[in-house]
Amino acid sequence: QANGPERQPLCTFGAPARRRGIRGATSAAMPAVRDSADVQVKERKDMAESDGVMIDPDEGYTDSRSVRQQWLEHFLMCLANVAWTIDANLLPLFFKEFQVLFDASQTQLSMLSTAKGWAAALFAFPCGFLGEILPRPQLVGLGMVFWAAGLGACAAAQSFEMLLAGRVLNGVGLGIVQPLLLSLVADKSPPTKRGSAFGSMFFVGAVVNTLFGLVATTFADTTVGGV
């Protein structure tokens, strides 16, 4: 020891050795996680923060669309969310009319919302996974066909049973569209713009739904085209 610098033991019970051991065990036990993009991005961010370097959140995001196409697609997604929001809240606005027309009880009226909710839940879960292997815009269009067919059945219903069946079909469409629409908005927006994209979409949906509800309840007793 007097003739040279003191050599450190190869393994100690100190904090640095523990960190090396934990890091090695984690790497060996979870290779898939270590190779994932999220972990790699987090590691680069941690290294940059330790060096005092700021990381751009939009790093790695590329968008080849023109500005006009970006606005057009965002407008269409806002329009789809408007239709979804109105459709999801439309039927309860006319419970009073349904109660008079079909002589329905409060329990039967609540079944309309319950049936719609269960149908939406059962189809939303698998469609979230289908959106990873199939084109999402086409799936959104398919969901709109289902909910339009359900609304048509509700509008032409001559009995409470037909109204209930139309509401179930309507719930299927609503369940298909919602998770796919949200994932589309996330994919079409850079990380630093996703908050404003979601905020503007839900703001437009809430405002239009409020205005539509006011108009719909005002003219609920009005006959249009014999309906």
Side-chain angles (χ1 to χ4, degrees):
Q1 293 180 356
N3 296 330
E6 181 179 358
R7 299 180 60 185
Q8 297 293 332
L10 295 178
C11 180
T12 66
F13 292 98
R18 285 202 302 270
R19 285 198 294 269
R20 287 195 298 270
I22 293 173
R23 188 158 53 241
T26 304
S27 300
M30 304 177 63
V33 176
R34 296 288 295 176
D35 293 337
S36 66
D38 292 340
V39 173
Q40 292 176 7
V41 170
K42 184 178 183 300
E43 287 179 347
R44 290 199 303 268
K45 187 179 296 186
D46 292 342
M47 292 174 60
E49 289 177 355
S50 63
D51 295 337
V53 179
M54 297 299 296
I55 289 294
D56 183 9
D58 293 336
E59 180 186 4
Y61 178 85
T62 58
D63 194 345
S64 59
R65 299 173 299 163
S66 63
V67 176
R68 180 179 180 182
Q69 185 178 357
Q70 292 177 23
W71 279 104
L72 176 61
E73 291 183 3
H74 186 68
F75 172 78
L76 292 176
M77 288 186 289
C78 285
L79 195 61
N81 183 67
V82 165
W84 188 94
T85 306
I86 292 176
D87 197 357
N89 300 281
L90 179 63
L91 224 59
L93 299 176
F94 304 103
F95 273 0
K96 179 178 179 294
E97 286 73 18
F98 294 150
Q99 194 170 21
V100 173
L101 183 61
F102 300 118
D103 193 23
S105 64
Q106 289 291 335
T107 302
Q108 288 176 313
L109 292 176
S110 67
M111 285 177 58
L112 295 175
S113 298
T114 303
K116 185 267 294 183
W118 277 110
L122 291 175
F123 278 82
F125 185 74
C127 282
F129 294 97
L130 286 177
E132 299 176 359
I133 57 177
L134 296 176
R136 282 172 291 181
Q138 284 81 348
L139 289 176
V140 170
L142 177 64
M144 289 184 173
V145 170
F146 273 104
W147 95 35
L151 279 182
C154 291
Q158 300 297 320
S159 64
F160 180 80
E161 289 73 18
M162 185 176 179
L163 180 67
L164 181 62
R167 192 56 169 163
V168 171
L169 189 61
N170 185 241
V172 171
L174 294 173
I176 292 174
V177 169
Q178 188 182 31
L180 301 176
L181 182 61
L182 296 179
S183 65
L184 273 177
V185 175
D187 285 351
K188 297 290 185 179
S189 307
T192 55
K193 302 295 183 182
R194 286 171 187 166
S196 58
F198 280 108
S200 60
M201 185 181 70
F202 280 99
F203 171 77
V204 172
V207 170
V208 176
N209 178 58
T210 302
L211 296 176
F212 181 84
L214 178 62
V215 175
T217 52
T218 302
F219 297 97
D221 296 330
T222 304
T223 301
V224 179
V227 180

